């Protein structure tokens, strides 16, 4: 078979092509097997030594709806080059033997030959001409021939006895070849260790986690029924559920209780399926949860297409917020209103861990925490709002990993805002998450401002900000509407970020800060605006921090109030991180970000480019239409007279 394994897992609902290579010298009956499959009757003579390629249409037993190409080959020395080419193109090899000599060649020649070519595909071993063996010889053949060679060569996926003359297991042998590709056992089960492989165990543990809706560590009867419906599309009978529990209980007596089936029992159940050759059942479960043949999640599932147009942004939809609220409440097991480190670890169990951007941003110090230092529901939603705004791809990935299932795609948990093209136009921008850069010189109080935003106690100890630092919290606007405000202090990367056009485009507001008690502090703001002319294109507010100290005259060409007035901007707002009234500043910042026209200069005569003439154009158009209509009516009346 010639399709790469990752495509096999994604082939559901599509017609794909697989190839079976049927190989062995003349006399083993391989061509008779193919002929019996095609004609549904045994042909005693006149069969070509090498048959042309045939195609088996999709079989009902193969859920991927695959068509299969069967390629007959010759082992004659002069045909060895052709054999090598076909071996390298195949997806599975059907190796046929019929007597002691041909059986000995399996281990002595054929399997080493396949390895020497670097062919790493499953092999189905077929003991043909079973009609020539004495009655009751099946057990001896399995014990003496098949099991030893399977133990020696892990490439051998399965073994079967067939007879083309009696049409015994003819269809079954080709079904095994198809199943070896569509439901490979190698990624799941280690036959030498008699155990599931670590990657399979990890995938099944995640599936158990997602099905354990109440997170009590057990799959109760209702959860087992939902699991059955999702994976197999039909309900599980009570008798069947009882039989499953009995089978598990015989192996591990304490793993099944009145509360349901625990995780070790769930893993054991799938191990039993793999051991008994029912690995297609395990694959059905894995593929229902979007796993590929390499036991990784499908890329289209983890990273669904989600485009954010220029000037627009991504936000959580109501369904997305509801999912994260339910997740928080489910894992806040002690009901203290915060997620401890242990609860966070349990919540992120089916994922690689916290998102990398959270670790870089010193989570959970970037959002709201309670007195114990645990992230609150308010902080939890704010953190995900910021993540969605900054990197929606990460939110989509974690929604998929954490089990978001509404509408079949994580993309339904997000929405795209209307593009924000003209910031100077009066009105509200359609955004509920806004980003504000906090600019200012060192010691101006920017870090204390971010701490106050997160309700942290004021600290007199100075800690210089080296790398960018963010803080996100919800702000209630006048009228009761809520938005999420992201404050970002740029640290030593401030010059580079202010030269980056893409970073400035993402910013909704600039907050210029200075220390009102330091005479040299405001000069940094003036210098920033002179050095980076593009800052004039962004809405901005001026804030005088440390207002609890004595105000001093600034050593700059103009005092802050005069400078703001000359720019057509409101005078700086005087606040202190030690005052409770500082919350009014955050409301003003959120309002300015959502109504950006209010944070631009207001000269006496507005710039003609910024005047909205839409109503004027509509009125002129309506007048012109009326004049044209009147002229048409007059001409018709004149023509009739």
């Amino acid at each position: 078979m010639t399709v790469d394994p990752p495509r096999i897992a994604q082939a559901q609902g599509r017609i794909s092509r697989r190839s079976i290579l049927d190989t062995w010298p003349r006399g083993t009956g391989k061509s008779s097997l193919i002929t019996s499959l095609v004609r549904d009757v045994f042909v005693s003579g006149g069969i070509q030594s090498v048959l042309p390629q045939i195609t088996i249409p999709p079989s009902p037993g193969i859920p991927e709806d695959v068509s299969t190409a069967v390629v007959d080959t010759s082992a004659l020395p002069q045909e060895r080059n052709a054999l090598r080419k076909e071996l390298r193109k195949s997806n599975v090899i059907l190796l046929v033997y019929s007597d002691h000599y041909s059986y000995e060649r399996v281990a002595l020649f054929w399997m080493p030959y396949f390895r020497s070519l670097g062919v790493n595909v499953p092999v189905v071993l077929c003991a043909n001409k079973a009609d020539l063996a004495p009655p009751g010889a099946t057990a001896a053949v399995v014990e003496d021939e098949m099991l030893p060679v399977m133990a020696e060569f892990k490439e051998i996926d399965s073994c079967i006895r067939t007879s083309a003359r009696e049409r015994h297991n003819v269809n079954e042998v080709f079904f095994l070849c198809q199943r070896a590709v569509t439901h490979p056992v190698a990624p799941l089960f280690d036959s030498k260790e008699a155990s599931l492989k670590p990657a399979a165990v990890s995938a099944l543990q995640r599936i158990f986690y997602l099905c354990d809706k109440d997170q009590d560590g057990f799959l109760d009867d209702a959860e087992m029924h939902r699991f059955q419906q999702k994976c197999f599309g039909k309900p599980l009978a009570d008798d069947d559920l009882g039989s499953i529990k009995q089978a598990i209980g015989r192996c591990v007596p304490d793993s099944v209780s009145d509360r349901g089936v625990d995780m070790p029992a769930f893993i054991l159940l799938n191990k039993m399926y793999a051991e008994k050759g029912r690995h297609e059942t395990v694959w059905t479960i894995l593929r229902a949860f979007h796993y590929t043949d390499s036991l990784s999640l499908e890329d289209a599932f983890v990273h669904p297409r989600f485009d954010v147009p220029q000037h627009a942004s991504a936000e959580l939809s109501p369904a997305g917020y509801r999912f994260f609220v339910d997740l928080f409440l489910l894992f806040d097991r002690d009901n203290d209103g915060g997620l401890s480190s242990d609860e966070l670890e349990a919540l992120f169990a089916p994922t690689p861990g916290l998102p990398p951007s959270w670790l870089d941003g010193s989570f959970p110090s970037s959002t709201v925490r309670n007195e114990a230092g645990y992230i609150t529901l308010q902080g939890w939603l704010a953190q995900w709002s910021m993540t969605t705004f900054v990197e929606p791809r990460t939110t989509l990935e974690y929604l998929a990993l954490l089990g978001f299932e509404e509408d079949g795609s994580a993309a339904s948990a997000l929405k795209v805002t209307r593009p924000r093209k003209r910031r100077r136009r009066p009105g509200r921008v359609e955004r509920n998450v806004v980003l504000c850069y906090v600019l200012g010189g060192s010691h101006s109080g920017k870090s204390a401002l971010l701490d106050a935003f997160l309700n942290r106690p004021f600290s007199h100890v100075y800690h210089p900000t080296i790398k960018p630092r963010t803080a996100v919290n919800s702000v209630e606007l006048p009228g009761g509407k809520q938005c999420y405000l992201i404050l970002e202090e740029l640290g030593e990367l401030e010059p580079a970020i202010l030269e980056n056009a893409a970073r400035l485009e993402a910013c909704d507001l600039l907050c210029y800060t200075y220390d009102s008690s330091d005479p040299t502090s405001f000069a940094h703001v003036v210098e920033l605006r002179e050095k980076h002319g593009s800052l004039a294109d962004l809405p901005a507010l001026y804030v005088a921090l440390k207002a609890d100290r004595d105000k001093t005259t600034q050593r700059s060409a103009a005092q802050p109030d005069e400078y703001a007035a000359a720019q057509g901007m409101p005078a700086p707002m005087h606040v202190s991180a030690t005052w409770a009234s500082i919350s009014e500043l955050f409301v003003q910042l959120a309002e300015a970000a959502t109504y950006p026209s209010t944070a631009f200069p207001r000269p006496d005569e507005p710039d003609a480019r910024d005047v909205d003439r839409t109503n004027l154009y509509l009125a002129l158009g309506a007048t012109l239409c009326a004049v044209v209509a009147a002229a048409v009516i007059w001409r018709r009346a004149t023509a009739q007279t």
Side-chain angles (χ1 to χ4, degrees):
M1 299 189 177
T2 57
V3 179
D4 293 335
R7 288 180 56 192
I8 296 171
Q10 300 171 7
Q12 294 190 10
R14 302 199 302 268
I15 299 298
S16 300
R17 194 172 183 83
R18 313 285 185 261
S19 60
I20 300 173
L21 190 65
D22 196 354
T23 181
W24 198 261
R26 296 182 63 179
T28 58
K30 60 180 178 60
S31 299
S32 296
L33 277 176
I34 299 174
T35 305
S36 296
L37 174 71
V38 174
R39 300 188 179 182
D40 203 26
V41 65
F42 176 68
V43 179
S44 58
I47 301 176
Q48 299 173 238
S49 59
V50 177
L51 297 174
Q53 177 179 314
I54 67 165
T55 299
I56 305 174
S59 169
I62 301 297
E64 281 76 12
D65 292 335
V66 297
S67 59
T68 306
V70 180
V71 180
D72 195 8
T73 61
S74 171
L76 296 175
Q78 59 268 31
E79 300 292 337
R80 196 57 55 86
N81 287 334
L83 175 61
R84 280 195 293 267
K85 292 179 181 179
E86 294 297 342
L87 282 170
R88 292 193 171 103
K89 291 191 297 182
S90 66
N91 293 110
V92 61
I93 299 171
L94 175 59
L95 189 55
V96 185
Y97 74 91
S98 60
D99 53 26
H100 182 72
Y101 171 75
S102 55
Y103 167 73
E104 290 291 333
R105 293 269 292 172
V106 169
L108 295 178
F109 175 75
W110 285 109
M111 296 306 300
Y113 179 65
F114 298 155
R115 288 182 175 181
S116 69
L117 295 178
V119 176
N120 186 23
V121 297
V123 176
V124 175
L125 188 60
C126 173
N128 196 25
K129 300 186 179 181
D131 55 289
L132 300 180
T138 300
V141 171
V142 171
E143 183 72 25
D144 299 336
E145 296 179 1
M146 295 181 173
L147 291 181
V149 75
M150 285 189 72
E152 184 177 356
F153 300 99
K154 63 180 180 61
E155 302 95 315
I156 299 180
D157 180 86
S158 55
C159 300
I160 187 172
R161 296 190 73 207
T162 61
S163 171
R165 181 181 299 276
E166 297 180 352
R167 292 212 30 87
H168 175 61
N169 285 340
V170 173
N171 291 333
E172 286 77 3
V173 69
F174 290 98
F175 175 79
L176 286 179
C177 292
Q178 291 175 315
R179 192 184 69 163
V181 177
T182 59
H183 301 93
V185 70
L188 301 179
F189 192 71
D190 188 333
S191 56
K192 291 185 177 180
E193 299 292 334
S195 62
L196 292 172
K197 292 187 175 179
V201 172
S202 178
L204 292 169
Q205 286 174 339
R206 175 178 173 273
I207 291 172
F208 181 92
Y209 165 96
L210 296 178
C211 295
D212 184 14
K213 297 299 183 181
D214 55 7
Q215 288 299 309
D216 64 346
F218 292 86
L219 295 184
D220 57 30
D221 289 357
E223 290 167 339
M224 286 290 287
H225 284 297
R226 284 195 294 268
F227 166 77
Q228 169 77 15
Q229 187 69 40
K230 176 179 177 64
C231 296
F232 303 98
K234 57 184 179 181
L236 183 65
D238 292 337
D239 292 343
D240 293 337
L241 180 57
S243 299
I244 290 173
K245 291 182 178 180
Q246 289 177 4
I248 297 173
R250 284 194 294 268
C251 297
V252 184
D254 297 331
S255 59
V256 179
S257 66
D258 295 337
R259 299 177 64 186
V261 177
D262 62 12
M263 183 179 289
F266 180 75
I267 303 298
L268 174 64
L269 177 64
N270 285 276
K271 175 177 176 288
M272 293 165 58
Y273 287 142
E275 281 181 321
K276 295 179 179 180
R278 293 179 56 189
H279 41 277
E280 67 271 16
T281 302
V282 183
W283 276 117
T284 301
I285 294 171
L286 292 168
R287 287 169 183 163
F289 287 87
H290 306 282
Y291 280 93
T292 67
D293 277 9
S294 61
L295 294 178
S296 61
L297 287 167
E298 297 172 5
D299 188 67
F301 171 70
V302 179
H303 301 120
R305 182 173 180 178
F306 187 81
D307 298 323
V308 181
Q310 188 179 10
H311 307 299
S313 65
E315 296 179 2
L316 287 172
S317 68
Y321 278 115
R322 185 168 57 250
F323 174 78
F324 284 119
V325 168
D326 293 342
L327 206 61
F328 181 96
L329 297 176
L330 179 61
F331 283 90
D332 183 18
R333 293 167 181 168
D334 51 10
N335 295 318
D336 64 346
L339 292 180
S340 65
S341 57
D342 290 339
E343 289 169 339
L344 278 173
E345 183 179 356
L347 189 154
F348 283 100
T351 73
L354 293 175
S357 60
W358 290 25
L359 299 174
D360 293 339
S362 302
F363 174 84
S365 63
S366 58
T367 189
V368 184
R369 294 179 290 176
N370 60 18
E371 294 179 355
Y374 302 155
I375 183 173
T376 63
L377 177 59
Q378 178 183 351
W380 173 253
L381 297 179
Q383 184 73 23
W384 279 114
S385 298
M386 178 173 66
T387 303
T388 306
F389 179 87
V390 177
E391 41 183 31
R393 183 180 175 89
T394 297
T395 300
L396 288 171
E397 178 182 355
Y398 275 77
L399 282 165
L401 294 173
L402 291 169
F404 181 85
E405 297 177 338
E406 195 166 317
D407 296 333
S409 172
S412 63
L414 271 62
K415 66 178 183 179
V416 177
T417 63
R418 291 180 60 183
R420 180 202 58 196
K421 295 182 179 179
R422 298 181 64 182
R423 304 185 195 228
R424 297 176 184 266
R425 175 176 292 179
R428 187 182 190 278
V429 296
E430 296 297 323
R431 290 191 176 191
N432 296 313
V433 183
V434 290
L435 171 63
C436 174
Y437 287 160
V438 181
L439 307 178
S442 59
H443 295 273
S444 62
K446 300 186 297 297
S447 297
L449 179 67
L450 267 64
D451 288 337
F453 184 49
L454 300 177
N455 303 316
R456 306 279 166 75
F458 178 75
S459 174
H460 292 278
V461 180
Y462 175 69
H463 297 285
T465 302
I466 307 300
K467 65 178 184 178
R469 177 195 171 193
T470 57
V472 59
N473 199 353
S474 59
V475 177
E476 186 174 339
L477 301 173
K481 189 174 180 62
Q482 186 185 68
C483 79
Y484 288 97
L485 175 63
I486 305 169
L487 298 182
E488 184 169 357
E489 181 184 2
L490 305 183
E492 294 184 351
L493 294 181
E494 183 179 273
I497 293 175
L498 296 183
E499 289 291 341
N500 189 318
R503 294 292 298 269
L504 290 181
E505 168 59 30
C507 177
D508 295 284
L509 180 70
L510 298 176
C511 177
Y512 294 110
T513 66
Y514 68 96
D515 179 358
S516 60
S517 66
D518 180 359
T520 63
S521 185
F522 188 72
H524 181 80
V525 173
V526 177
E527 181 183 348
L528 271 182
R529 289 181 59 84
E530 291 177 351
K531 184 177 181 181
H532 305 282
S534 56
L535 298 183
D537 297 329
L538 297 177
L541 290 180
Y542 295 91
V543 179
L545 296 174
K546 303 184 182 181
D548 56 321
R549 301 181 182 180
D550 293 336
K551 181 180 177 181
T552 187
T553 302
Q554 296 293 316
R555 297 173 188 166
S556 61
Q559 294 303 300
D561 289 12
E562 298 171 353
Y563 183 85
Q567 298 290 329
M569 301 288 290
M573 183 177 181
H574 289 256
V575 296
S576 170
T578 62
W579 293 351
S581 59
I582 196 173
S583 59
E584 298 175 7
L585 169 63
F586 305 131
V587 174
Q588 189 170 342
L589 291 174
E591 278 193 290
T594 52
Y595 293 88
S597 63
T598 63
F600 277 106
R602 294 183 177 181
D604 294 335
E605 294 296 331
D607 190 337
R609 294 174 300 175
D610 299 327
V611 176
D612 187 357
R613 294 191 174 91
T614 303
N615 292 333
L616 175 62
Y617 294 151
L618 291 175
L620 290 175
T623 302
L624 180 62
C625 290
V627 171
V628 172
V632 171
I633 294 173
W634 179 79
R635 289 191 62 182
R636 288 181 178 177
T638 303
Q640 290 176 357
T641 58

CSV table of all heavy atoms in Angstrom, one decimal, residues 480-500:
chain,number,residue,atom,x,y,z
A,480,GLY,N,-22.7,49.9,32.5
A,480,GLY,CA,-22.7,48.5,32.9
A,480,GLY,C,-22.0,47.5,32.0
A,480,GLY,O,-21.8,46.4,32.3
A,481,LYS,N,-21.6,48.0,30.8
A,481,LYS,CA,-20.9,47.1,29.8
A,481,LYS,C,-19.5,46.8,30.3
A,481,LYS,O,-18.8,47.7,30.8
A,481,LYS,CB,-20.9,47.7,28.4
A,481,LYS,CG,-20.4,46.8,27.3
A,481,LYS,CD,-20.6,47.4,26.0
A,481,LYS,CE,-20.1,46.5,24.9
A,481,LYS,NZ,-20.9,45.2,24.8
A,482,GLN,N,-19.1,45.6,30.1
A,482,GLN,CA,-17.8,45.1,30.6
A,482,GLN,C,-16.8,44.9,29.4
A,482,GLN,O,-17.2,44.5,28.3
A,482,GLN,CB,-17.9,43.8,31.4
A,482,GLN,CG,-16.6,43.4,32.0
A,482,GLN,CD,-16.8,42.0,32.7
A,482,GLN,OE1,-17.0,41.0,32.1
A,482,GLN,NE2,-16.7,42.0,34.1
A,483,CYS,N,-15.6,45.3,29.6
A,483,CYS,CA,-14.6,45.0,28.6
A,483,CYS,C,-13.3,44.5,29.3
A,483,CYS,O,-13.2,44.7,30.6
A,483,CYS,CB,-14.3,46.2,27.7
A,483,CYS,SG,-13.2,47.4,28.4
A,484,TYR,N,-12.4,43.9,28.6
A,484,TYR,CA,-11.1,43.5,29.2
A,484,TYR,C,-10.0,44.4,28.7
A,484,TYR,O,-9.9,44.6,27.5
A,484,TYR,CB,-10.8,42.0,28.8
A,484,TYR,CG,-11.7,41.0,29.5
A,484,TYR,CD1,-12.9,40.5,28.8
A,484,TYR,CD2,-11.5,40.6,30.8
A,484,TYR,CE1,-13.7,39.6,29.5
A,484,TYR,CE2,-12.3,39.7,31.4
A,484,TYR,CZ,-13.4,39.2,30.8
A,484,TYR,OH,-14.2,38.4,31.4
A,485,LEU,N,-9.3,45.0,29.6
A,485,LEU,CA,-8.2,45.9,29.3
A,485,LEU,C,-6.9,45.2,29.6
A,485,LEU,O,-6.6,44.7,30.7
A,485,LEU,CB,-8.4,47.1,30.2
A,485,LEU,CG,-7.3,48.2,30.1
A,485,LEU,CD1,-7.2,48.8,28.7
A,485,LEU,CD2,-7.5,49.3,31.2
A,486,ILE,N,-6.0,45.3,28.6
A,486,ILE,CA,-4.7,44.7,28.7
A,486,ILE,C,-3.7,45.9,28.8
A,486,ILE,O,-3.6,46.7,27.9
A,486,ILE,CB,-4.3,43.9,27.5
A,486,ILE,CG1,-5.3,42.8,27.3
A,486,ILE,CG2,-2.9,43.3,27.6
A,486,ILE,CD1,-5.1,42.0,25.9
A,487,LEU,N,-3.0,46.0,29.9
A,487,LEU,CA,-2.0,47.0,30.1
A,487,LEU,C,-0.6,46.3,29.9
A,487,LEU,O,-0.3,45.3,30.5
A,487,LEU,CB,-2.0,47.6,31.5
A,487,LEU,CG,-3.3,48.4,31.8
A,487,LEU,CD1,-3.2,49.0,33.2
A,487,LEU,CD2,-3.6,49.5,30.8
A,488,GLU,N,0.2,46.9,29.0
A,488,GLU,CA,1.5,46.3,28.7
A,488,GLU,C,2.6,47.4,28.9
A,488,GLU,O,2.6,48.4,28.3
A,488,GLU,CB,1.6,45.8,27.3
A,488,GLU,CG,2.9,45.1,27.0
A,488,GLU,CD,2.9,44.3,25.7
A,488,GLU,OE1,1.9,44.2,25.0
A,488,GLU,OE2,4.0,43.7,25.4
A,489,GLU,N,3.6,47.0,29.8
A,489,GLU,CA,4.8,47.8,30.0
A,489,GLU,C,5.9,47.2,29.2
A,489,GLU,O,6.1,46.0,29.3
A,489,GLU,CB,5.1,47.8,31.5
A,489,GLU,CG,6.3,48.6,31.9
A,489,GLU,CD,6.6,48.5,33.4
A,489,GLU,OE1,6.0,47.7,34.1
A,489,GLU,OE2,7.6,49.2,33.8
A,490,LEU,N,6.5,48.0,28.4
A,490,LEU,CA,7.4,47.5,27.3
A,490,LEU,C,8.8,47.2,27.8
A,490,LEU,O,9.6,46.5,27.1
A,490,LEU,CB,7.4,48.5,26.2
A,490,LEU,CG,6.1,48.8,25.6
A,490,LEU,CD1,6.2,49.7,24.4
A,490,LEU,CD2,5.3,47.6,25.2
A,491,GLY,N,9.2,47.8,29.0
A,491,GLY,CA,10.6,47.5,29.5
A,491,GLY,C,11.7,48.0,28.5
A,491,GLY,O,11.5,49.0,27.9
A,492,GLU,N,12.7,47.2,28.5
A,492,GLU,CA,13.9,47.7,27.7
A,492,GLU,C,13.6,47.5,26.2
A,492,GLU,O,14.4,47.9,25.3
A,492,GLU,CB,15.1,46.9,28.1
A,492,GLU,CG,15.6,47.2,29.5
A,492,GLU,CD,16.9,46.5,29.8
A,492,GLU,OE1,17.3,45.6,29.0
A,492,GLU,OE2,17.5,46.8,30.9
A,493,LEU,N,12.5,46.8,25.8
A,493,LEU,CA,12.2,46.6,24.4
A,493,LEU,C,11.3,47.8,23.9
A,493,LEU,O,10.9,47.7,22.7
A,493,LEU,CB,11.5,45.3,24.2
A,493,LEU,CG,12.3,44.0,24.4
A,493,LEU,CD1,11.4,42.8,24.1
A,493,LEU,CD2,13.5,44.0,23.6
A,494,GLU,N,11.1,48.8,24.7
A,494,GLU,CA,10.3,49.9,24.3
A,494,GLU,C,10.7,50.5,23.0
A,494,GLU,O,9.8,50.7,22.1
A,494,GLU,CB,10.2,51.0,25.4
A,494,GLU,CG,9.3,52.1,25.1
A,494,GLU,CD,9.3,53.1,26.3
A,494,GLU,OE1,8.5,52.9,27.2
A,494,GLU,OE2,10.1,54.1,26.2
A,495,PRO,N,11.9,50.9,22.7
A,495,PRO,CA,12.3,51.5,21.4
A,495,PRO,C,12.0,50.6,20.2
A,495,PRO,O,11.5,51.1,19.2
A,495,PRO,CB,13.8,51.8,21.6
A,495,PRO,CG,14.0,51.8,23.1
A,495,PRO,CD,13.1,50.8,23.6
A,496,ALA,N,12.3,49.3,20.4
A,496,ALA,CA,12.1,48.4,19.3
A,496,ALA,C,10.6,48.2,19.0
A,496,ALA,O,10.2,48.2,17.8
A,496,ALA,CB,12.7,47.0,19.6
A,497,ILE,N,9.8,48.1,20.0
A,497,ILE,CA,8.4,47.9,19.8
A,497,ILE,C,7.7,49.1,19.2
A,497,ILE,O,6.8,49.0,18.3
A,497,ILE,CB,7.7,47.6,21.1
A,497,ILE,CG1,8.2,46.2,21.6
A,497,ILE,CG2,6.2,47.6,21.0
A,497,ILE,CD1,7.7,45.8,23.0
A,498,LEU,N,8.2,50.3,19.6
A,498,LEU,CA,7.6,51.6,19.1
A,498,LEU,C,8.0,51.8,17.6
A,498,LEU,O,7.4,52.6,16.9
A,498,LEU,CB,8.0,52.7,19.9
A,498,LEU,CG,7.4,52.7,21.4
A,498,LEU,CD1,7.8,54.0,22.1
A,498,LEU,CD2,5.9,52.5,21.4
A,499,GLU,N,9.0,51.1,17.1
A,499,GLU,CA,9.4,51.2,15.7
A,499,GLU,C,8.7,50.1,14.9
A,499,GLU,O,8.8,50.1,13.6
A,499,GLU,CB,10.9,51.0,15.6
A,499,GLU,CG,11.7,52.2,16.1
A,499,GLU,CD,11.5,53.5,15.2
A,499,GLU,OE1,11.1,53.3,14.1
A,499,GLU,OE2,11.8,54.6,15.7
A,500,ASN,N,8.0,49.2,15.5
A,500,ASN,CA,7.4,48.1,14.8
A,500,ASN,C,5.9,48.5,14.5
A,500,ASN,O,5.1,48.6,15.3
A,500,ASN,CB,7.3,46.8,15.8
A,500,ASN,CG,6.9,45.6,15.1
A,500,ASN,OD1,6.0,45.6,14.3
A,500,ASN,ND2,7.6,44.5,15.3
